[in-house]
Amino acid sequence: MNNPTPETIEELRDIDRMTDETERLRVNILEFRGKGLHDDSTIDKDFEKCEKKHAKIITDKNNLNGESLKNYERGQRAEYVFRHAIQDFGWLADKVNMIIASQFDDYFRGIDSIAQIPVGAEEFEHIGFAVDFATSVEDIGKKLRQTFDSIDNGYTPTVKYFNSKHTGKKVDFRVPRIVIGAGSETLERLTDYSKEILNKSGIAESSKEDISNDVFQFVLFGEIMAQLGTFINRLKSVVEQAKKTHRSDIEKRAHESLDIHEKTMQTVMKLAQDKKIDMPMIQKHIRGDSFAVKMAPALVALSHTSIDFK
């Protein structure tokens, strides 16, 4: 990047602060060494892969300029706000714990964060988020296809390294994977919130109220429900096809995956009910977000593709 302006330097400092926070709070795969959950040699290999991938990401970021740099900054700010809005401003529910996925699960499993939602005493439901506010609908389509590839063989996407103060360390932890994006009109609003959230001690009450009441939470519920509903129907089709073709292995997996997705859907619907969010409200705001409108046809198209067992 050549001769950055003072404004650009300030923007990059903010991005560095956000990145530092993210890396500090990530699940650290090295903490799984010696726990008997994965072989230490596997963990070391995964760590080495992450180091190489992270170095490439840093190099690519340092080569950005112009509009590509602005898109990167907007995406980083929006993702930062998304995580804090769910955990600190009640976009899904009170007391949701947002777990930042390990570098391995982020880079190689496509899960950036996991929402841990309390549903009872020491009982939680989990949603894995593939958050990307900086790419096109076509790129998001690729992420959706990744989930369909898992579901079509009966699998639920997994987090290889999961750790939470409530549940402890888990490996190959199954969570529904939801792709989240937003239109340009939403991005501008979310990026504006990032400076307020960074300034934790000085955030104004009016700003807290604006973030808590932002209409993107309706879009969020809509994107989650639309994808879960599509995945549930797809898994039902997988079960039926596995029965017909005598693939008992896939049928068993698909039944387990179907149960996971249906329970998550029930939880999300209960959260919406508790927040007095109904379908007409969701549909209204979905129609107002250009990205969500374009995501719907991609889900429909993928749901009509053939199921080919491996």
Side-chain angles (χ1 to χ4, degrees), residues 39-267:
D39 291 340
D40 285 359
S41 60
T42 297
I43 296 169
D44 291 341
K45 288 176 183 176
D46 287 347
F47 180 76
E48 184 178 348
K49 286 177 65 176
C50 290
E51 290 286 282
K52 290 179 179 177
K53 180 70 173 180
H54 188 68
K56 184 179 185 306
I57 290 171
I58 296 299
T59 299
D60 291 344
K61 185 192 82 169
N62 291 337
N63 290 330
L64 294 175
N65 54 57
E67 193 60 31
S68 60
L69 178 59
K70 290 179 181 178
N71 287 338
Y72 170 80
E73 291 167 354
R74 280 194 293 266
Q76 292 297 303
R77 285 183 179 277
E79 289 181 31
Y80 178 82
V81 170
F82 172 80
R83 176 165 56 86
H84 279 275
I86 290 180
Q87 179 161 295
D88 303 325
F89 295 92
W91 273 11
L92 283 178
D94 294 332
K95 299 179 181 177
V96 173
N97 182 30
M98 284 294 279
I99 299 161
I100 302 177
S102 70
Q103 285 187 344
F104 183 88
D105 289 295
D106 186 351
Y107 299 161
F108 303 106
R109 296 284 175 93
I111 295 178
D112 306 287
S113 55
I114 303 98
Q116 186 174 61
I117 305 164
V119 293
E122 301 302 314
E123 185 179 357
F124 303 89
E125 287 291 339
H126 298 83
I127 302 175
F129 288 117
V131 183
D132 202 330
F133 291 117
T135 57
S136 66
V137 175
E138 289 74 20
D139 290 328
I140 297 300
K142 294 177 183 177
K143 293 192 174 188
L144 287 171
R145 282 194 292 275
Q146 184 179 346
T147 303
F148 271 81
D149 287 344
S150 296
I151 284 174
D152 281 1
N153 283 280
Y155 292 104
T156 297
T158 59
V159 176
K160 189 170 185 177
Y161 300 94
F162 180 86
N163 192 14
S164 156
K165 62 184 178 182
H166 298 297
T167 59
K169 292 179 175 63
K170 295 178 180 291
V171 296
D172 300 325
F173 185 58
R174 294 183 293 181
V175 296
R177 178 178 180 268
I178 303 297
V179 176
I180 298 297
S184 58
E185 62 288 325
T186 301
L187 282 179
E188 291 302 322
R189 202 170 61 252
L190 296 185
T191 55
D192 287 344
Y193 294 149
S194 64
K195 289 184 181 294
E196 296 281 355
I197 295 175
L198 274 171
N199 186 24
K200 291 181 176 65
S201 61
I203 185 169
E205 288 301 319
S206 60
S207 295
K208 291 180 182 179
E209 187 174 339
D210 287 343
I211 299 169
S212 297
N213 296 327
D214 192 272
V215 296
F216 186 69
Q217 62 193 287
F218 301 111
V219 178
L220 173 62
F221 270 99
E223 291 184 354
I224 294 171
M225 289 179 176
Q227 290 176 65
L228 283 175
T230 301
F231 299 154
I232 287 168
N233 289 334
R234 187 72 167 188
L235 282 164
K236 289 178 179 177
S237 297
V238 171
V239 169
E240 289 304 311
Q241 184 162 318
K243 284 181 181 178
K244 291 177 181 177
T245 56
H246 308 291
R247 291 296 303 269
S248 58
D249 54 334
I250 295 177
E251 182 184 350
K252 180 176 182 295
R253 287 198 304 265
H255 267 300
E256 292 172 353
S257 293
L258 180 59
D259 183 57
I260 290 170
H261 283 76
E262 287 183 331
K263 284 182 177 178
T264 303
M265 177 65 101
Q266 290 169 6
T267 297

